């Protein structure tokens, strides 16, 4: 199962996702189990799996759903969590992460998924795929559970780069709206700029400048700018896209993960406190399962690298099979929508405006006249 892509896979017209099998904390067995889950649910997906063939072939052979749907690329080296991005850029050519990205660069796959070192993955993605024309800083976008009808908001950047000036924040807004259109089918997303308050006079100078730029582009780029939003609005319903710099976004997402973990622990302790508490837990079991499913971080595992010539999804390093499957599903969905091409058209420069095909017909027609 090594070498060129499976001919049956090509004939079936499947969308191929390139997967780094070696980056996760739990090793390749979990990654293979995750892509097998995706294969069982989706007959239109195929895989190129990167890593040592002697380790991967036996794992793939045990999964009936993967029969004839996986091309294994024998790559011996691995990017570890301790490796510095600069070192990986110089010496990472023989790694599974490098190989996974090259499959996208060469047009063999529609997107790449890796559970590996985030800094190294971003550095290699920029090296192998290059930034889109006009993009200064790529961004990592994540889905955040929210009170909106779609159930999630998109926030970016959450850690691609700790810095972001006003022009970068404008590009994040353009990329975020394109992502929302293609992942949630919202034709006119609402954009909020994260700040320490909602008043226009608050915040750093670059935030005030970004406020003006994002507001000016709203009409041309067909989104609604709701102005400054606060941290409490991230899981709220006032915006669909939350724009911020990578430092603030990363702190927010780690705080959210920690708070969710605290809530789960507190609920277990509360319902296990006494005999009556355990009875109450049994009576509330259906509601608790529904809440647990909605808040399960595995369902939205996967940060999308935006601003590159190709789709890259970063899965959490500690993801289990369900989490890996969710990241693969996200990469597949974006490939289905031709997201990479639409994003390239939208952000060729901060001043360029175009419209995704998911928008209303009259809006597309107006844009095509520009």
């Amino acid at each position: 199962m090594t070498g060129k892509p499976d001919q049956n896979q090509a004939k079936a017209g499947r969308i191929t996702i390139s997967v780094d099998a070696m980056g996760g904390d739990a090793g390749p067995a979990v990654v293979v189990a995750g892509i097998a889950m995706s294969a069982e649910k989706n007959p239109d997906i195929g895989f190129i799996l990167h890593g040592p063939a002697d380790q991967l072939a036996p794992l793939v052979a045990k999964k009936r759903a993967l029969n004839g749907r996986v091309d294994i690329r024998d790559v011996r080296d691995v990017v570890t969590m301790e490796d510095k991005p600069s070192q990986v850029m110089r010496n990472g050519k023989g790694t599974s992460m490098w190989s996974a990205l090259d499959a996208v660069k060469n047009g063999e796959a529609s997107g790449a998924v890796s559970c590996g070192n985030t800094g190294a993955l971003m550095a290699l993605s920029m090296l192998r795929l290059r930034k889109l024309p006009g993009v200064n800083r790529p961004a990592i976008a994540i889905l955040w559970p929210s009170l909106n009808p779609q159930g999630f908001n998109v926030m970016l950047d959450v850690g691609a780069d700790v810095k972001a000036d006003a022009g970068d924040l404008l590009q994040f807004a353009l990329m975020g709206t394109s992502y929302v259109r293609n992942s949630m089918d919202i034709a006119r997303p609402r954009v909020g700029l994260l700040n320490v308050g909602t008043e226009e006079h608050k915040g750093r100078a670059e935030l005030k400048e970004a406020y003006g730029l994002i507001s000016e582009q709203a009409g041309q780029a067909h989104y609604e700018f709701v102005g400054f939003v606060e941290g409490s609005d991230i899981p709220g319903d006032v915006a669909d896209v939350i724009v911020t710099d990578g430092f603030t976004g990363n702190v927010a997402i780690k705080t959210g993960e920690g708070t969710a973990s605290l809530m789960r622990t507190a609920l277990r302790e509360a319902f296990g406190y006494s005999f009556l508490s355990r009875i109450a837990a049994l009576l509330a079991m259906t509601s608790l399962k529904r809440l647990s499913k909605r808040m399960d971080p595995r369902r939205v595992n996967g940060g999308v690298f935006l601003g590159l010539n190709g789709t890259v999804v970063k899965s959490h390093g500690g993801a289990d099979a369900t989490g890996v499957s969710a990241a693969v599903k996200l990469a597949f969905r974006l490939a289905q929508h031709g997201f990479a091409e639409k994003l390239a058209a939208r952000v060729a420069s901060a001043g360029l405006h175009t419209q995704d095909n998911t928008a209303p017909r009259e809006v597309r027609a107006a844009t095509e006249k520009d």
Side-chain angles (χ1 to χ4, degrees):
M1 285 187 289
T2 59
K4 296 182 179 180
D6 187 281
Q7 294 300 314
N8 293 329
Q9 178 175 305
K11 291 179 181 179
R14 293 184 177 128
I15 291 176
T16 300
I17 303 300
S18 179
V19 181
D20 172 13
M22 307 305 294
D25 297 342
V30 167
V31 175
V32 172
I35 67 172
M37 289 179 63
S38 293
E40 289 173 357
K41 298 175 183 177
N42 191 344
D44 296 325
I45 190 169
F47 302 96
I48 302 176
L49 197 59
H50 305 262
D54 56 352
Q55 294 184 45
L56 299 181
L59 295 172
V60 171
K62 293 178 182 178
K63 303 293 183 181
R64 183 176 301 177
L66 296 178
N67 184 30
R69 295 170 68 174
V70 178
D71 169 26
I72 297 176
R73 298 290 168 84
D74 186 22
V75 188
R76 311 308 300 179
D77 294 336
V78 177
V79 175
T80 71
M81 293 297 181
E82 292 73 33
D83 288 337
K84 294 181 179 179
S86 57
Q87 295 174 335
V88 175
M89 290 179 72
R90 290 193 299 268
N91 306 309
K93 190 172 183 179
T95 64
S96 56
M97 184 181 288
W98 184 297
S99 182
L101 293 169
D102 266 6
V104 177
K105 177 184 178 182
N106 298 333
E108 299 172 279
S110 299
V113 174
S114 175
C115 302
N117 182 319
T118 303
L121 182 61
M122 177 56 79
L124 282 188
S125 295
M126 288 193 290
L127 178 66
R128 305 309 299 155
L129 301 178
R130 302 295 182 182
K131 293 182 292 185
L132 289 172
V135 170
N136 183 33
R137 302 181 194 275
I140 303 176
I142 56 100
L143 298 177
W144 193 295
S146 78
L147 297 175
N148 275 324
Q150 66 268 22
F152 303 99
N153 291 332
V154 167
M155 185 166 75
L156 73 165
D157 178 26
V158 296
D161 198 317
V162 296
K163 299 178 181 179
D165 61 22
D168 297 327
L169 294 171
L170 170 60
Q171 289 182 345
F172 294 171
L174 296 173
M175 293 190 292
T177 56
S178 187
Y179 181 32
V180 166
R181 286 191 180 97
N182 287 280
S183 62
M184 299 179 185
D185 296 325
I186 299 175
R188 193 177 180 85
R190 297 165 300 161
V191 177
L193 182 60
L194 191 62
N195 198 358
V196 294
T198 58
E199 299 86 351
E200 291 187 31
H201 66 273
K202 286 192 173 182
R204 302 189 304 270
E206 61 266 28
L207 285 176
K208 296 175 184 178
E209 183 182 353
Y211 185 105
L213 293 176
I214 296 173
S215 179
E216 289 172 4
Q217 285 289 321
Q220 294 179 337
H222 306 292
Y223 59 77
E224 177 185 349
F225 182 49
V226 299
F228 287 135
V229 296
E230 299 179 283
S232 58
D233 295 316
I234 297 174
D237 60 359
V238 300
D240 306 299
V241 180
I242 308 293
V243 174
T244 188
D245 61 86
F247 182 90
T248 305
N250 194 263
V251 170
I253 188 175
K254 297 295 175 58
T255 302
E257 290 174 351
T259 302
S261 177
L262 174 63
M263 290 177 60
R264 288 193 295 269
T265 300
L267 280 173
R268 283 196 299 267
E269 291 177 351
F271 282 115
Y273 180 73
S274 67
F275 176 71
L276 291 177
S277 298
R278 289 191 285 273
I279 292 177
L282 289 174
L283 294 174
M285 187 62 67
T286 300
S287 295
L288 289 173
K289 286 183 177 179
R290 188 180 300 114
L291 174 63
S292 177
K293 182 178 180 180
R294 181 175 180 182
M295 301 301 293
D296 188 350
R298 300 177 302 173
R299 294 177 58 234
V300 291
N301 176 52
V304 181
F305 289 5
L306 301 180
L308 301 170
N309 285 297
T311 299
V312 179
V313 176
K314 168 63 174 72
S315 171
H316 198 289
D320 61 7
T322 301
V324 172
S325 180
V328 168
K329 179 181 178 181
L330 177 57
F332 174 83
R333 179 179 173 85
L334 293 176
Q336 268 189 319
H337 284 257
F339 173 65
E341 293 78 11
K342 292 174 182 177
L343 184 61
R346 173 165 290 276
V347 297
S349 70
L352 176 67
H353 60 277
T354 187
Q355 189 57 43
D356 300 310
N357 291 333
T358 51
R361 182 180 304 169
E362 63 270 22
V363 172
R364 294 204 306 270
T367 303
E368 289 167 358
K369 295 176 182 178
D370 292 341

